Amino acid sequence: MKITPGGVVAAEWTKFSSLRSTWITAGISVFLLIAFGMIASASFSGEGLTSVDLALSGSALAALSVGVLGALLGASEYTTGMIRATLTAVPRRLPVLWSKSLVAGAAAFVTMTIGALAAFAVGSAVLNDKVSGLGLDDDGVLRALLGAGLYLGLVAVLGVALGMLVRSSAGAIAILAGLLLVVPGLVPLLPDAISEAITPYLPSNAGSAVMALAPPDGTLGPWAGVAVFAGYVVVTLAAAAYRLNKTDA
């Protein structure tokens, strides 16, 4: 029977959607986004943050969660040994990587966009009286919320790529956590000139720029940031594709 690209995508969707861990992790990701957004919106009474910033304050933890989702999809078959059966069914190999990436990225984009919109709606309802509210029709608001879904969808794809590159769920999650959480905390320890030059191009800083209504001075613009983060994802996918194509499962 001829294997079609649509058939590979359908197969990967079946694997993805049939796992209990998929729904648990996706649910946790949405919960973190909404819960942190609601808490931040209700409690913040200072200056310098908009209602959108507050609504999306849980995006860093949500990014880690959807990245874990992608890493599990990318690496779990290596852990169980099922990857041999998958590659026997799809001998050209690379469609497996593209299909896993598409499934994880699309699922994360849809769920996290819904989560971002929900976080904004809930956050606006409990917003502290000292913070000015915004509507979806205000400049940049819809772009920031949809951008959150786009960024988090790309994080899920990065997780898949890391999972298939290192072929270990734990290893992929550790690398992902390092890139998104640890490295941004270490860079400020470098000399100021180096830190200021590097900081805007760190994966999490670049990707999350699309969620800011007005990016601060010294940071990348919304779409430039997405482009930089997408570059990280493409490079990691290329490395995963090379290893998948050139080495034994």
Side-chain angles (χ1 to χ4, degrees):
M1 185 177 67
K2 183 178 179 180
I3 302 297
T4 65
V8 181
V9 171
E12 292 302 330
W13 169 252
T14 299
K15 297 174 190 175
F16 181 78
S17 61
S18 62
L19 295 174
R20 182 181 301 176
S21 60
T22 294
W23 301 108
I24 293 174
T25 308
I28 289 173
S29 302
V30 173
F31 172 78
L32 289 172
L33 198 57
I34 296 174
F36 274 77
M38 180 179 68
I39 293 169
S41 297
S43 60
F44 183 77
S45 59
E47 298 179 352
L49 294 179
T50 68
S51 58
V52 173
D53 298 325
L54 296 171
L56 298 178
S57 59
S59 59
L61 289 177
L64 183 60
S65 185
V66 296
V68 168
L69 184 66
L72 291 174
L73 179 63
S76 61
E77 287 190 83
Y78 286 99
T79 303
T80 62
M82 286 297 295
I83 190 64
R84 296 182 182 85
T86 296
L87 297 182
T88 298
V90 189
R92 293 180 62 187
R93 294 193 173 197
L94 292 184
V96 174
L97 173 60
W98 311 142
S99 297
K100 286 181 183 292
S101 300
L102 177 61
V103 166
F109 170 72
V110 171
T111 56
M112 299 314 296
T113 297
I114 294 172
L117 292 168
F120 180 70
V122 173
S124 297
V126 299
L127 193 66
N128 190 294
D129 293 338
K130 297 181 180 181
V131 181
S132 298
L134 295 169
L136 288 177
D137 56 346
D138 285 311
D139 188 36
V141 171
L142 192 58
R143 183 263 300 158
L145 298 175
L146 295 177
L150 176 60
Y151 166 58
L152 295 170
L154 287 172
V155 172
V157 177
L158 180 62
V160 172
L162 288 171
M164 296 202 73
L165 177 61
V166 302
R167 301 182 176 184
S168 162
S169 298
I173 292 168
I175 294 171
L176 185 76
L179 288 173
L180 298 182
L181 300 179
V182 178
V183 172
L186 295 177
V187 168
L189 301 178
L190 297 173
D192 290 345
I194 298 176
S195 175
E196 290 173 3
I198 294 175
T199 296
Y201 298 93
L202 296 177
S204 57
N205 292 345
S208 60
V210 74
M211 298 186 291
L213 289 186
D217 293 339
T219 63
L220 297 176
W223 302 117
V226 168
V228 169
F229 186 71
Y232 285 109
V233 176
V234 169
V235 169
T236 310
L237 279 171
Y242 179 84
R243 186 176 187 193
L244 178 63
N245 217 24
K246 297 295 184 180
T247 64
D248 294 334

